[in-house]
Amino acid sequence: MATKFQNFINGRWVDAKSGRTFENRNPANWNDLVGTFPKSGKEDVDEAVNAARTAFEKWRLVPAPARGDLMRKIGDIMVRRKEEIAREMTREMGKVLAETRGDVQEGIDTAYYAAGEGRRLFGKTVPSELRNKFAMAIRVPIGVAGIITPWNFPMAIPTWKIFPAVLSGNTVVFKPASDTPKTATMLIDVMMEAGIPEGVVNIVHGGGGEVGNAIVSHPDIDLISFTGSTEIGKNISRMAAETLKRVSLELGGKNAQIVMDDADLDLALDGVLWGAFGTTGQRCTATSRLIVQEGVHDKFLGMLTERAKKLRLGDGLLPATEVGPCVNQSQQQTVQSYVEIGKKEGATLVAGGGIAKGAGLENGWFHEPTIFAGVKPSMRIAKEEIFGPVLSVVRIKTLEEAIGVLNDTIYGLSSSIYTRDVNKAFAAIRDIKTGITYVNAPTIGAEAHLPFGGVKQTGNGHREGGWTVYDFFTEWKAVYFDYSGSLQRAQIDNY
Ligand code: NAD
Ligand code: MN
């Protein structure tokens, strides 16, 4: 007796026009059906875009501070419903409750930041080169935003996009990942309870091929904010070029933690365990490479494997669980295939390596926390995003070598260095090519009010989070106001 969920279009809950549905199951126990969701198509997207387009003409005229008031209400409701949302999130995608609570908290922080931004959305005034003339640049809303998100942060990532989009005066057509439609539905529910006007936010569930494509190619959608894999991101970029949409892409990562000989090893150990195996390694910022200086390499590897082997796998709703399942079977298989690749490449398996077995793990997509030592920078397990609980350890001699290895990937999202030497830390900040660098902290742990994003093939140069995301969701309009009462010609009458 699974619950049946719907799309939300123009302020009403509706089925897919085709009547088709898909199932959403618990990855820790595939017998637990979370619900059925509409398997939508182009015709559903068309209706959502029409609603969003109509709503835009009213919503753009609502004063930004009033839009901010709505954001504050949304944040308040999320505070009240935090535990309920976190539990459902764990049930549908597997990460442990402490982490799903954190995921909701990031949404709350983003809501309150947006509430404050409603009273800022700063423009600029500058002097005109002519007398009796006033010059300024103001931010204006753009139109309908298509929002496409992955499953690993089912609340945080949608809110990073939807809240600034809506606060800026845009309206939204949102397609969440089909592994996490329930959390997305709860977000819409929260926005509805807060009183969001009809058509401002619309959700269309379904697959990337159908719903995603229809959004990206729709002529009446003005901008796309996408988080997901680099491969799909490139497709979206190509497709969106046809209608010259503004596109923000947050894509894959192959993040590394450096541990220097002078590091606090206990601290570095806690950091790498959290970075590599938190969220079962399924974070865009997960630590997937560990680069250790030779003086502490063997000792640190020993400490690490001992702790990694003790990590408790299980249902994320159980208090003792430290590592949840992979999100689905195909993700588990990807992890397994990389374990085989690592072995064939000649790396040494020092922890894990298999599908996890044991009491309570029989009906879930669990994979053992896995560590490869003796990894060479040229190996595939050192270069490709695995998106699972697999850590590749590389031994290096110097800081220069460490940074060279760290930078030797097509990605550039997050990075970390553990050292007690401030000179080394600042050199690393200067030379590491990533959008985020942590010193004496793991590669994960972004805060909602700082710019978030990566360089190289992790993205296309935009930033989410903080003040920077508002540059994506607004257009700059330059305004010249001449109060001289006569024609004044710039560059001519003043020189
Ligand atoms: P994915 O690329 O498979 O899917 C992401 C979203 O795109 C889903 O909603 C999916 O349905 C949709 N989609 C799929 N095909 C599409 C198409 N042709 N057109 C339009 N939309 C389409 O990624 P995933 O497996 O859900 O998430 C994991 C990936 O996301 C990893 O690569 C990870 O690094 C990345 N990620 C990046 C960040 C970041 O901020 N850089 C954050 C989280 C996840
Ligand atoms: Mn699910």
Side-chain angles (χ1 to χ4, degrees), residues 71-79 105 107-117 120 163:
M71 286 297 146
R72 198 176 45 254
K73 274 188 208 144
I74 289 169
D76 291 345
I77 296 168
M78 288 175 77
V79 169
Q105 185 59 44
I108 294 167
D109 298 339
T110 300
Y112 290 146
Y113 190 100
E117 195 59 26
R120 286 188 297 267
F163 293 172

Side-chain angles (χ1 to χ4, degrees), residues 24-27 34 91-93 178-181 327:
N24 175 21
R25 288 182 180 270
N26 180 343
V34 176
R91 187 177 162 214
E92 81 170 342
M93 61 73 71
S178 44
D179 278 305
T180 52
V327 74

